[in-house]
Amino acid sequence: MSLHSLLRASPAAGVFLMVACLSFPAFADRVVKDQIGHEVHVPNVVSRAVILQHQTLDIAVELGAFDKVAGVLEEWKKQLGPRFARLAPGIEKLPTPGGLTKVNIEELLKLKPDVVFVTNYAPEEMREQIAAVGIPVVAVSLLTVDPAEATKLNPQVKDETAATDQGLTDGIRLIADVLDRKAEGEKLIAKATASRKLVAERLAGISEAQRVPVYMANPDLTTYGHGKYTGLMMERSGARNVANAIAGFKQVSMEDVLAWNPAVIFVQERYPAVVDDIRKSASWQGIDAVKNGRIYLMPEYAKAWGYPMPEALALGELWMAKKLYPDRFADIDMKKEADDYYREFYRTSFDLEQ
């Protein structure tokens, strides 16, 4: 029995403490470079993966690799929304040995994983805890930045378009490589960028002054400024992010929102309660978007998150552009576009009730 197999078969404290002192590359089969610049030794065949990052979990499902997932982050329902369970049947029964910023080593070892995916901003001590017991740790950010910024929640981004486009491509390829879904990864990358030209052509001629001022409303008055994919999604869709002056993902004040006075407010699908809060709260009633009834709960695929996702590029940017400039996209049937995408990558039809 190989040392790797022995570790997986017996997670007893004495065994894994002994293994922690050994050189993991001795029983690793190949090396991948993750998105924080670390070279990681992973088995040639990964059969059991624990995923402690929601973006990687979603992409793994789209790659048809959910059958390899042995455990998931405890926040998956909060981050992906409860409806995600229909896209990953059985996920509600999977163990949750940790989250975005923490891990329970004892529970993790019980799952005998070949690899653990974490977010780029997972604490160093968390990554070291996992690596110390001989389990490969692969960090995913979906963003290409300078090495000094790679492990930050709100990294400094010099060129948002380049950082996002290359970061998403590299991230999908990394996940697909580790999970042996390279061909599926290339199909997903191609689909993610297919509608970019159409949107750009339809929005040609819109000046900066004509762009619709838009605010992304999250719980507790948190929103996204520059350096996050959300703002880039708005830009590509013909909008102007009113919160662009702030850096990263932060909480703002009601005074800020009133001063910005957005014409449109978008709310991510995972936060439906925010829509009702805005509509019912007296403090929001003077804002143009509220007065004109232009508060939109985004569909599941339009993930205006801080980090890019393939469905957001493939469908979300198109949906947002159509919502802001309906006359320019009158011929686009978003339900058909979504259904085609879902059938290809989620292997199910899109819920037409959305």
Side-chain angles (χ1 to χ4, degrees), residues 22-33:
L22 301 178
S23 174
F24 177 70
F27 53 84
D29 297 301
R30 59 195 171 111
V31 177
V32 298
K33 191 170 186 177

Side-chain angles (χ1 to χ4, degrees), residues 205-253:
I206 295 176
S207 67
E208 186 64 29
Q210 293 173 316
R211 286 178 172 267
V212 180
V214 170
Y215 174 72
M216 186 63 60
N218 293 325
D220 304 317
L221 282 173
T222 52
T223 193
Y224 302 93
H226 64 267
K228 292 295 187 180
Y229 168 69
T230 310
L232 187 58
M233 181 180 188
M234 292 181 183
E235 180 183 335
R236 288 172 171 170
S237 304
R240 174 174 59 83
N241 183 7
V242 297
N244 189 62
I246 70 171
F249 176 73
K250 291 184 178 179
Q251 185 179 52
V252 297
S253 68

Side-chain angles (χ1 to χ4, degrees), residues 203 206 211-212 237-238 321-329:
L203 297 178
I206 295 176
R211 286 178 172 267
V212 180
S237 304
K322 180 178 172 69
K323 209 69 177 175
L324 296 174
Y325 303 95
D327 292 345
R328 295 183 181 230
F329 298 88

